[in-house]
Amino acid sequence: MQKNILVMIQSMTGYGKATAIFGEKKINVEIKSLNSKAMDLSTRIAPLYREKEMEIRNMISKSLERGKVDFSLWIEKDVSDTATPINAALVENYYNQIKSISEMTHIPMPDVLTKADVQELSEEEWEVVRQVVEEAINHLVDFRKQEGTALEKKFNEKIDNIESLLKSIEPYETERV
């Protein structure tokens, strides 16, 4: 007695993308997969979210058994709304003072002034990011299933063609020695 087991074929190739807005940030997640015998996962994660890399890797590994998977998580900030107006006269005054000191001391002027922003990931923001990662993974899985359905159709067409060709050669089999 033969049992028929239904198995959903999934392609190894897929793509998923999702975005969310959190405060003044646009959180973007993109995940792509190609054929591979094992799970080969490479990640590019924005620095703020790197502490959650293992959790993200586990989420991906649970949903995708194998494949060469590229995962990217990045932030776009809307800085136009948060930019503070600059007092041009004051900046010019500072520039002239620094230039004068630089000339007197023979020390070159600095090229750039930077401000280091130390940010901590809140639970609320992580929950938004986690949902976006899950959404992107789900899009990838849906893509793989669609590709798998197309593959299954092709396989069935080829199998039907082989069966009809086998039937067409049966009359010749009796003549063969």
Side-chain angles (χ1 to χ4, degrees), residues 155-172:
F155 286 151
N156 287 330
E157 287 172 3
K158 300 296 181 188
I159 290 169
D160 291 345
N161 189 32
I162 292 169
E163 284 178 348
S164 69
L165 289 171
L166 279 173
K167 287 178 185 172
S168 72
I169 63 168
E170 281 179 9
Y172 301 106

Side-chain angles (χ1 to χ4, degrees), residues 72-139:
S72 297
L73 168 59
W74 73 96
I75 302 170
E76 295 175 46
K77 287 188 177 181
D78 184 10
V79 292
S80 62
D81 294 339
T82 59
T84 306
I86 294 176
N87 181 334
L90 185 60
V91 170
E92 185 178 359
N93 186 347
Y94 285 141
Y95 173 79
N96 289 332
Q97 287 180 47
I98 292 170
K99 186 177 176 186
S100 173
I101 292 170
S102 172
E103 289 171 357
M104 286 187 323
T105 60
H106 304 292
I107 298 173
M109 288 180 61
D111 290 332
V112 178
L113 298 174
T114 60
K115 177 185 167 194
D117 262 348
V118 177
Q119 295 179 332
E120 287 192 27
L121 180 60
S122 69
E123 279 302 315
E124 181 185 4
E125 183 172 352
W126 168 241
E127 185 56 31
V128 170
V129 172
R130 193 185 60 69
Q131 289 174 3
V132 173
V133 170
E134 283 180 0
E135 184 181 344
I137 292 170
N138 290 338
H139 287 282

Side-chain angles (χ1 to χ4, degrees), residues 33-98:
S33 72
L34 296 172
N35 191 15
S36 181
K37 290 181 181 179
M39 174 59 79
D40 178 12
L41 176 59
S42 66
T43 61
R44 285 176 301 286
I45 299 174
L48 179 60
Y49 308 124
R50 284 197 190 125
E51 69 184 71
K52 298 293 187 176
E53 182 173 353
M54 288 310 298
E55 195 170 332
I56 291 169
R57 284 178 171 274
N58 288 335
M59 291 167 66
I60 294 168
S61 295
K62 283 180 186 174
S63 298
L64 312 174
E65 293 177 20
R66 60 191 202 114
K68 178 169 177 19
V69 179
D70 289 322
F71 175 85
S72 297
L73 168 59
W74 73 96
I75 302 170
E76 295 175 46
K77 287 188 177 181
D78 184 10
V79 292
S80 62
D81 294 339
T82 59
T84 306
I86 294 176
N87 181 334
L90 185 60
V91 170
E92 185 178 359
N93 186 347
Y94 285 141
Y95 173 79
N96 289 332
Q97 287 180 47
I98 292 170

